[in-house]
Amino acid sequence: VSAFNRRAESPTSWRLEVHTGDDFLERMLREKPGNVVVLSGRNRGKIDRILASVEAGLDVLADKPWVITAADFPKLERALSLAEAKGKVAYDVMTERSEITTILQKELALDPAVTGKVGPGTQAEPAIEMESVHHLMKMVAGSVNLRPAWFFDTAEQGEALADVATHLVDLVPWTLFPGQPIDYRTEVGVLAAKRWPTVLDEAQLLRLTGEKALPQALASRLQGGKLDYFANGEASFTVRGVHARVKVLWNYEAPAGAGDTHVAFVRGSRARLEILQGAEQKWRPELYVVPHRPADAPAVKAALEQRVAELAKARPGLSVEDEGARFRVDIPDRYRVGHEPHFAEVTARFLGYLKDPASLPKWEKANMLAKYWITTKAVEMSRLDP
């Protein structure tokens, strides 16, 4: 924060009031310095702070994940129901809904003339599939993006399927059943899940944490000088009978010139919608439409051009590029705002709901419950996998 306040170009003007005592939560609830609580950081115990805040009559904007174990799921139900009863807003930060390629993939998935019928798919070839790759070693503003030692304790941070997978699981009903509440008790099922570690040595952990020596809590978990950090996971599940699969990976460091990546497939009866983000795409996400049969290509192209022209009324400049076996949706750079501005968009939505709590869509509560039911059950199932 201090570095951003001191920077030469567009310095920020954050004012800090730091409370480091063990009773910080109790003091905040007692003194109520504001009416909105913003939460991030440690994931274990986050739902307790959310619930306590809602009980105290405060609105909450909290980063994912809200729960990382199935045992805490009832607290999530209570917090959301209490917020609803009190007319308060409890909202989680789902930035991926603001990514332009994801938005356009959703629009095309809903157009049967382009994509055909989506689903139900199978566990081996799901109707919707997503993969997110992150990297532990990152440089931000010329310095290593340091992570606290507890970040490498999955009991604190949560495993991959409880943490980053929250974003991917959220996108499944958002894409396939927009604006519709999903009942976790009857409309979702977790079929399979597995996990595997990213192995880190002591030198890597010291570099990532900035510590001169590893804290005992972390050092004691090393075996043969290495840590099995369970940061990778994959889960197969269904939503209203439609098969989905999500996969999350944490590597130590990205290849030169690369960064975090998001890949997503939606499989319809006429075409497959692909978001790819690799070297071919120069590491930025691109959206493709791939007809299943060459004979369908002319009709798919015509329908795609018509739909993109309609979408271009709200986002001028969108167009279609014919690449032979596939079509690419050409997206002007002005719509590629990047990850950080997505947080501002989520905040703007939250502030709108804050002014009018009744405007918070009813499906948000149901789908938050469905999302965290899937992620926490997947974590449980993955631990049973030998």
Side-chain angles (χ1 to χ4, degrees), residues 154-182:
T154 52
E156 287 282 353
Q157 177 67 13
E159 296 189 15
L161 291 175
D163 185 15
V164 176
T166 306
H167 281 301
L168 307 186
V169 175
D170 177 79
L171 291 178
V172 172
W174 183 83
T175 299
L176 300 179
F177 308 105
Q180 301 176 44
I182 303 299

Side-chain angles (χ1 to χ4, degrees), residues 117-133:
K117 177 178 172 53
V118 177
T122 64
Q123 188 172 333
E125 189 174 82
I128 184 167
E129 185 174 7
M130 301 181 195
E131 178 182 293
S132 179
V133 181

Side-chain angles (χ1 to χ4, degrees), residues 164-277:
V164 176
T166 306
H167 281 301
L168 307 186
V169 175
D170 177 79
L171 291 178
V172 172
W174 183 83
T175 299
L176 300 179
F177 308 105
Q180 301 176 44
I182 303 299
D183 189 336
Y184 77 89
R185 294 161 294 193
T186 59
E187 295 186 306
V188 302
V190 180
L191 306 178
K194 60 182 179 180
R195 63 173 188 161
W196 60 98
T198 294
V199 180
L200 301 170
D201 61 33
E202 185 173 354
Q204 290 172 323
L205 289 167
L206 290 173
R207 188 182 185 197
L208 292 170
T209 60
E211 302 279 359
K212 290 184 170 45
L214 293 181
Q216 181 57 29
L218 181 56
S220 64
R221 296 172 47 230
L222 270 61
Q223 299 290 332
K226 297 183 183 297
L227 174 72
D228 281 349
Y229 179 45
F230 281 94
N232 312 294
E234 180 179 305
S236 295
F237 58 96
T238 58
V239 179
R240 292 186 178 172
V242 178
H243 286 264
R245 180 164 62 226
V246 299
K247 185 177 182 180
V248 175
L249 302 170
W250 277 91
N251 297 327
Y252 175 68
E253 193 170 12
D260 294 348
T261 60
H262 172 83
V263 175
F265 301 95
V266 176
R267 296 181 172 95
S269 57
R270 299 194 73 186
R272 184 174 66 253
L273 310 178
E274 300 181 346
I275 295 175
L276 302 179
Q277 189 179 1

